[in-house]
Every structure is written in structure tokens, then in C-alpha cells.
Amino acid sequence: MESTKTQPIVELQQVRKEYRQGHLQVQAVNGVDLTIQEGEFTAICGPSGSGKTTLLNLIGCLDTPTEGRVLVGGRDVSALSDSALADLRLRQIGFVFQAYNLVPVLTAFENVELVLALQGVPAAQRKKRVLSILEEVGLLELRDRRPMDMSGGQQQRVAVARAVVANPRLVLADEPTANLDSHTGAALLQMMADLNREHRVTFLFSTHDPMVMDYSRRIVRVVDGKIAADELKPRGAGDRSPAAGDPPAAGEA
Amino acid sequence: MAMFFKMAFRNLWRRRFRTGITLVAIGGSFSLLLFFVALTEGSHQLMIDLAIRMQAGHVVIQAPEFQKERALELRVTDPDEVMRRIGPLPEGWTATRRIFTTGLLRSADGSVMLDNLMAVDLENERKVSDVGRKLVRGAWLDPDEPGILIGEKAARLLKVDVGDKVVVSCSGLTQKVEERFLVAGVFRVGGDADRGMAMIGLARGQALLGMGDAVSQLAFFLPPDDSQAAARELRRRVQGLPVAVLHWQEALPVLTQLLWVDDISMQVFIFIILVIVAAGILNTVLMSVMERTRELGILKSLGMRPWSLFRLIVTESLLLGLLAVAVGAALGLPLVHHFGQVGIDPLALTGGEVMEMEGIAFTDRIHPVLSWASGLILTAVVLGMTLLSAVWPALRAKRILPVKALRQM
């Protein structure tokens, strides 16, 4: 059994994010402190426009804060160049998007392989790794299909495989079940919960899907750009083993 | 990186119709360029070849002032000494001696001005001159006969034909001279030369004009690629003799200038076509980048570096350019080959007008010819243009902000 001692993978310190929308100045995130420990399975939830996607973008180094510090793996990302941010995303973070966002000209296999190729992993190793992860998400048979020839659920499983194939420390999933029916959504969540438990991949969701919250061990509620509540459950719905993915101490918010 | 090319190549075929149209447009333009460059090269070769054979040689040796004023007294007085200094000619070279003068050609029925009366080395001139090939009646000059070759128009004006007598009057070196000749052959080379040019044997010409052994010009014919080097070598060998060694570009300045002007207008034409090609590529690539903003944003969020996105777009354009060049070559090269075989009637290009320069008419069929160098340069230029027109769209792709791109549907 792996050690359950954890360390912060993400730290937000007094983070604010403003942007202009026409003539309006919008406070999307307003003074957020948040710590995510390695191995967590956490949902950031809140109504539309509450700032959860902005928060996820900031953590994913897709956006920079107006104020405050964002630390990923202990590293302050606000001073990094575009290329350095790209490298950080490539090596430490996996993304799962609401609209799957697979590369349409690549097959399922190639979509998953892409991240490893960008990392410069040799072809033989890539093949081995991709086949193994596709087997894990149950898509080995469909590996030569292009996204347009797959269902939404299948595409999202490819997206999850792509997000975890390079063993990132953190997977960010923005409304991953929003476009899926409840059955497919549940299967996907179970798959991610298994990956969390077996590979200790940290999962962070932005969602307003109750099912996602059900699966999560920690729920961070965001309202008007601020953290309104930070709850810890004894176990998530996806937990099959009482010892795995032990919840860390809650964030400071 | 194989993955990279795979993506670039497949991206090209996402919009088959658009890519197809762009390919046909660029490929078509490229084939047109190949053909016109080949046509220009072919016509230049023809012009150079004709002008050299009729008026000069690849290299000529003559009196230093002869180039400025083609006067009889400006002569090479000892051509044998010149040839002795030069030594044995390399394989494939021909040297011929010529006298150029002017005169009057008369028959019982009229007279014509001869602005180019040539006395030529019968054996060697026959190997190089166009006149021998273009005799419509009669035969080449016989050294034992007092023969003359005249043009078709002159023959018509003088109402003479092969075997008839004509009289040549001209200024010799010291006095006015006159001699009777028999028309040995009638040529048709086209243009004014058919009226104003006539050819007699060198020995007879030297005797008639009182030139002794002197000639106006020693003309050397050799493999054309070596001509500049040959001119330098001949210049070195005849150093100290009172003669000038001229490469054909110096001996035929009007032709050289005409070819230069023609080259410039060809380059302008190429440039215009290339600008149109570049606009086509720019449009296609820019559209494809703008349509894929979201997807490119995803690639960036997955960790693709900004310059890698730049390279992806440039690679797509390069592939498009390579395919277009292949399409263009597939269309253009058979065209060049076909017309290279059958030739093109120059009258068809000028609308029936005979193009003439320095007394030489260009009536021979033009055979388009494409040198490797021109083909490769054109290919490189088209590919370069393709890359250049991809720079702006590629920079746009590089600058895409993932967070903005992800908001786009």
C-alpha cells in the first residue's frame, strides 16, 4: 500500500481575476485561497458564472491571475513564459474538457499518443503506454477510430485516457459529464475514481452535476468568485476500497 | 516528427474541396510558369544560336575598332599568326574566317543594296551557317566557281535564279571594285537578310577587295557552356597581337540587351503570378487557422509549445506547396516536353509578324526547353513563397490564447 502522506499540488494565495466584458469589469475570482493535496478527488461546484471555470483555468495555467499567486507543484506560475507554461501543462497537468476536444484528424490511439509524442517519448514506449491506457478505459477495440466515428461517452473516455496517459500529477476536468447521459457519466466517473485510486492521480472537477459531487471526496463551493464552503466527505461514491484515496486535510478556505 | 507531419497532412485534407481548388490554382500557375520559362529559354537559345551563326561566333577575334565601325580597313591582317598562337583547336570547336562589307548587286533587270556582303571560309562556314541549311534552290558555293549565294527577295527583285549572272560592286580596300558572279544558290532565312545579304567564297572576296590574307573576323564555335572560359583563354593566347577577343555577349550587344530586357519582363511576369499564388495560399491557410482557433487552443492547452504550433501551420503550407509543385510539374512538364519536340511557330506568337534583329529574322520554330537550374529555382521560389505566405497565419496560431480559444465554439 502506498503512503498516504500528501503534499500540496496546487496552492492559490489571495487570487483575484478580473476581466472586461464590453464596458463591464467582471470579478470572476475574488480573493481565493485554496490548497489541493496530491491524490485528491475534488469538485469545485457552483452555479453558472460563479467563477469555477476561471478558477480551473488559473490552476491549469491557461490563464494568469490579476492578483495573488498560483503555485503548481510548488512553483509560482505567474512569472513563467508561454513556452514554460506549455511545458508545465505538458508534464504536470492533464485536461478533460466538457466538449471532449479531441483532435479530429487523429484516431483515438493517436489522440492519446499525442501528449507522449509532445513529451518526446520514443515510439515503442508510446505504443505500449497508449495501448495499456486504452485497455484500461475499455477502448482498445476502437483505437483506430476517429472522434467523429465515436459516441460522446467514448470520446470522453479517450479524452480521459489522453489526460492521464503521461502520468500527470493533476487532472483538471471542466464539466466532464455535461454532455453525457447519466449512465455514461457514471461509468466515466467510476473510471476516473479508479484511476485516482490505482494511480493516485489528483482529479479536480469544475461541475454543477450532482453525480460528480457524489463521487468527489471534497467539495469546494464557489459563489460570486469566492469560496463559500469547503466540505470533506468520508468517502466518495466511486470508492471501492476504504483505504484508497484517503482524504487529505481540507483547504484553508 | 512523424506525428507532426501526420497531423499536418490530414489537416490539409479536412477541406478537400478548398485544398483541391488551391492545389489546382497553385499547380496550374506553377505549370504555366514552367512553360513560359521554358519558352523564354527556348526562344533565347534560338536567338543566340541564330545570331551567333549568322553574325558572330561564340567567341570572335577581330580588329579592336571593328566592333564600333564595321569598316573593311579595320581588319585582322595576319589570321594565320592568330591561329598559330591559338594552336590546335579542341574537339568540337570550329573556326571560320569572314570578311564583312557592303555593296551593290546588279542584274540586267535591276539592283539591290547589299548591307551584308560576306566572304566566307567555304568549308568551315558551311558547318556553322544557317544559310547552307536554308537554301531554297541551288547548292552551297564551290571554291572553283565564281559563285554567290543570294536571298530569295533579292533574286526576285533582280529577276535572276540559279546559274544566272549578277554583278557585285563595292569599295575594296583601296579602290572601287566590280566583279561578275554566278548565282549558285538562293536562300530564305527570313526578314531583310533575304534581300540585303549575299555570300561569296573567302579567297575570291580577298582578291576582289584587295585584302591579301586579311579578314574582318575569325569566328569560333564551341560547346556554348564553355564560351566565357574559352574567350578568356583565347584572350590570353593572342596577347600582344593587334586584335580584340570578344565573347558573343560583347560582339552582339543589341542581342544581349534584348535578352536582358526579355529576362526582366519574364521576371516581372513570374513575380505577378507568384503574388497571386501567395494570396491564394495566404487565404487558404489563414481560413484554416481561423476555423481551427479552438482546436489550436486545445493543442496549446495540452502542452504544445507556441513555436510548435507555428511549425505545424508552416508544415501544412509546405505540404500544400509540395503537392502543388507536384501537380504543376505533372501538368507543365509534359507540355514543355511536347512543345519541345514539335516546336512552336514564332509567327503564331507574334501574330504573323516576323521578329527581326540585327538583320536576323527569327522564323525557326521555337523549342521550349527547361534547364534543371530554372526548374529547380522556380520550384524553390514557389515553395519559398508558400512558406512566406504561411508566416502570418502561423504567427496568429502561435499567439492563440488557450483560455480565449476554449471559449469559442
Side-chain angles (χ1 to χ4, degrees):
Chain A
M1 183 58 59
E2 284 178 66
S3 159
T4 54
K5 191 165 180 266
T6 55
Q7 51 178 301
I9 172 95
V10 176
E11 278 179 87
L12 301 191
Q13 300 173 352
Q14 277 303 302
V15 168
R16 284 199 323 112
K17 178 69 189 177
E18 281 181 15
Y19 55 84
R20 291 187 73 84
Q21 205 165 38
H23 294 295
L24 287 177
Q25 197 75 15
V26 179
Q27 286 270 9
V29 174
N30 193 1
V32 166
D33 288 305
L34 179 67
T35 302
I36 306 287
Q37 304 289 341
E38 200 145 18
E40 280 192 30
F41 200 82
T42 298
I44 299 175
C45 53
S48 288
S50 58
K52 55 187 187 303
T53 296
T54 306
L55 212 49
L56 216 63
N57 286 341
L58 288 168
I59 293 168
C61 305
L62 297 175
D63 209 351
T64 48
T66 316
E67 254 176 51
R69 299 210 306 162
V70 176
L71 288 90
V72 176
R75 206 166 159 201
D76 187 350
V77 301
S78 43
L80 296 181
S81 70
D82 258 14
S83 286
L85 285 174
D87 262 6
L88 186 80
R89 290 195 293 266
L90 178 63
R91 301 197 182 271
Q92 306 228 15
I93 306 171
F95 290 92
V96 179
F97 303 96
Q98 178 179 344
Y100 328 131
N101 290 335
L102 300 177
V103 179
V105 292
L106 298 182
T107 62
F109 182 93
E110 290 162 344
N111 261 288
V112 179
E113 187 190 15
L114 177 65
V115 178
L116 295 174
L118 288 175
Q119 286 188 355
V121 176
Q125 279 184 44
R126 290 205 303 257
K127 188 174 178 188
K128 209 171 139 192
R129 180 83 190 113
V130 174
L131 290 177
S132 132
I133 200 84
L134 281 177
E135 189 169 20
E136 212 163 327
V137 300
L139 285 177
L140 204 52
E141 303 298 308
L142 305 185
R143 61 182 180 270
D144 291 328
R145 288 209 190 161
R146 295 227 186 148
M148 61 180 290
D149 299 320
M150 288 188 281
S151 71
Q154 288 166 342
Q155 286 188 56
Q156 198 60 306
R157 274 148 71 194
V158 175
V160 172
R162 179 178 69 181
V164 301
V165 68
N167 296 319
R169 299 179 70 187
L170 174 66
V171 172
L172 300 176
D174 188 13
E175 310 266 11
T177 53
N179 292 348
L180 305 177
D181 62 67
S182 60
H183 178 73
T184 313
L188 188 85
L189 281 167
Q190 186 58 57
M191 190 182 83
M192 292 197 269
D194 291 346
L195 286 166
N196 167 254
R197 200 184 59 249
E198 281 154 29
H199 302 287
R200 283 192 67 77
V201 183
T202 311
F203 277 87
L204 187 58
F205 300 91
S206 116
T207 188
H208 43 49
D209 180 352
M211 190 164 62
V212 178
M213 294 178 228
D214 216 26
Y215 268 81
S216 301
R217 304 283 294 274
R218 180 178 169 195
I219 295 169
V220 179
R221 292 185 194 278
V222 183
V223 179
D224 296 337
K226 290 182 176 167
I227 294 181
D230 192 347
E231 303 154 16
L232 203 58
K233 295 189 288 179
R235 54 184 293 180
D239 286 354
R240 289 168 173 171
S241 132
D246 268 352
E252 298 93 310
Chain B
M1 184 166 140
M3 191 85 172
F4 207 73
F5 279 99
K6 208 187 283 180
M7 272 171 78
F9 188 78
R10 290 186 195 163
N11 278 330
L12 267 189
W13 296 108
R14 286 165 81 163
R15 301 272 183 168
R16 279 157 206 268
F17 191 65
R18 186 171 69 198
T19 302
I21 287 180
T22 312
L23 271 185
V24 170
I26 307 171
S29 307
F30 181 63
S31 66
L32 211 68
L33 283 183
L34 286 178
F35 183 73
F36 276 102
V37 167
L39 185 64
T40 307
E41 274 187 26
S43 65
H44 284 190
Q45 271 188 17
L46 178 72
M47 285 157 85
I48 293 165
D49 192 47
L50 264 181
I52 283 173
R53 277 190 279 134
M54 299 282 287
Q55 295 280 298
H58 292 103
V59 181
V60 295
I61 295 179
Q62 53 199 28
E65 295 297 308
F66 185 77
Q67 186 64 19
K68 281 189 189 153
E69 188 194 348
R70 288 166 87 94
L72 208 53
E73 53 272 26
L74 299 173
R75 62 203 190 274
V76 179
T77 46
D78 194 352
D80 288 337
E81 173 61 12
V82 173
M83 290 309 287
R84 199 186 58 73
R85 285 276 199 98
I86 290 170
L89 293 180
E91 179 80 21
W93 285 40
T94 305
T96 181
R97 302 178 188 198
R98 295 159 169 171
I99 297 171
F100 295 103
T101 188
T102 56
L104 190 74
L105 189 62
R106 284 187 285 121
S107 73
D109 290 298
S111 63
V112 290
M113 284 293 301
L114 291 177
D115 43 41
N116 187 14
L117 172 60
M118 292 170 79
V120 298
D121 169 347
L122 293 182
E123 191 191 333
N124 287 318
E125 189 74 24
R126 189 174 190 179
K127 293 181 196 159
V128 298
S129 172
D130 215 29
V131 169
R133 282 198 298 131
K134 292 181 174 172
L135 288 173
V136 287
R137 292 190 290 283
W140 186 251
L141 297 166
D142 181 338
D144 298 331
E145 298 278 333
I148 187 168
L149 300 175
I150 62 173
E152 201 178 27
K153 283 181 199 162
R156 201 162 52 233
L157 288 166
L158 300 175
K159 295 182 179 149
V160 293
D161 210 335
V162 174
D164 291 343
K165 281 178 194 158
V166 288
V167 174
V168 170
S169 315
C170 58
S171 299
L173 207 51
T174 53
Q175 57 186 354
K176 289 204 179 291
V177 293
E178 201 170 87
E179 191 167 319
R180 213 177 269 184
F181 285 88
L182 291 174
V183 175
V186 176
F187 57 80
R188 186 201 299 146
V189 294
D192 288 345
D194 288 345
R195 192 178 62 212
M197 190 172 101
M199 233 176 224
I200 58 173
L202 182 66
R204 255 169 236 286
Q206 282 169 329
L208 172 69
L209 300 164
M211 295 276 279
D213 286 335
V215 294
S216 306
Q217 185 182 70
L218 285 144
F220 296 84
F221 294 84
L222 43 122
D225 294 345
D226 305 338
S227 61
Q228 287 285 8
R232 278 195 298 277
E233 178 58 21
L234 291 181
R235 209 166 280 142
R236 198 182 61 75
R237 291 196 191 179
V238 301
Q239 213 164 22
L241 294 178
V243 292
V245 178
L246 274 66
H247 183 255
W248 67 262
Q249 287 176 339
E250 300 161 296
L252 300 167
V254 176
L255 175 70
T256 306
Q257 198 140 32
L258 185 111
L259 296 181
W260 182 75
V261 170
D262 209 37
D263 274 339
I264 296 284
S265 47
M266 186 68 207
Q267 281 159 16
V268 169
F269 173 74
I270 290 175
F271 179 75
I272 292 169
I273 296 270
L274 285 179
V275 167
I276 297 170
V277 166
I281 300 167
L282 178 66
N283 178 53
T284 306
V285 180
L286 190 62
M287 285 289 288
S288 103
V289 167
M290 286 169 68
E291 280 171 356
R292 286 187 291 153
T293 301
R294 185 182 168 86
E295 187 183 317
L296 296 171
I298 302 285
L299 288 174
K300 219 170 176 182
S301 22
L302 291 180
M304 191 178 262
R305 289 175 163 207
W307 281 110
S308 300
L309 273 183
F310 180 90
R311 268 186 13 236
L312 178 69
I313 302 303
V314 170
T315 306
E316 286 178 21
S317 309
L318 184 66
L319 287 175
L320 186 71
L322 282 171
L323 280 171
V325 162
V327 168
L331 292 172
L333 292 181
L335 206 66
V336 170
H337 180 75
H338 173 73
F339 284 104
Q341 298 284 312
V342 302
I344 295 170
D345 185 356
L347 298 180
L349 295 177
T350 56
E353 211 169 298
V354 175
M355 194 174 74
E356 221 178 323
M357 189 198 44
E358 294 196 78
I360 302 158
F362 297 101
T363 51
D364 287 15
R365 291 179 84 81
I366 299 167
H367 295 268
V369 55
L370 190 70
S371 64
W372 275 103
S374 300
L376 290 178
I377 288 172
L378 265 185
T379 306
V381 167
V382 168
L383 288 180
M385 206 75 178
T386 312
L387 289 184
L388 209 63
S389 43
V391 167
W392 184 42
L395 280 177
R396 273 188 78 118
K398 173 187 167 277
R399 291 195 200 112
I400 284 174
L401 295 174
V403 73
K404 278 193 181 163
L406 287 169
R407 266 188 239 132
Q408 284 196 8
M409 284 319 281

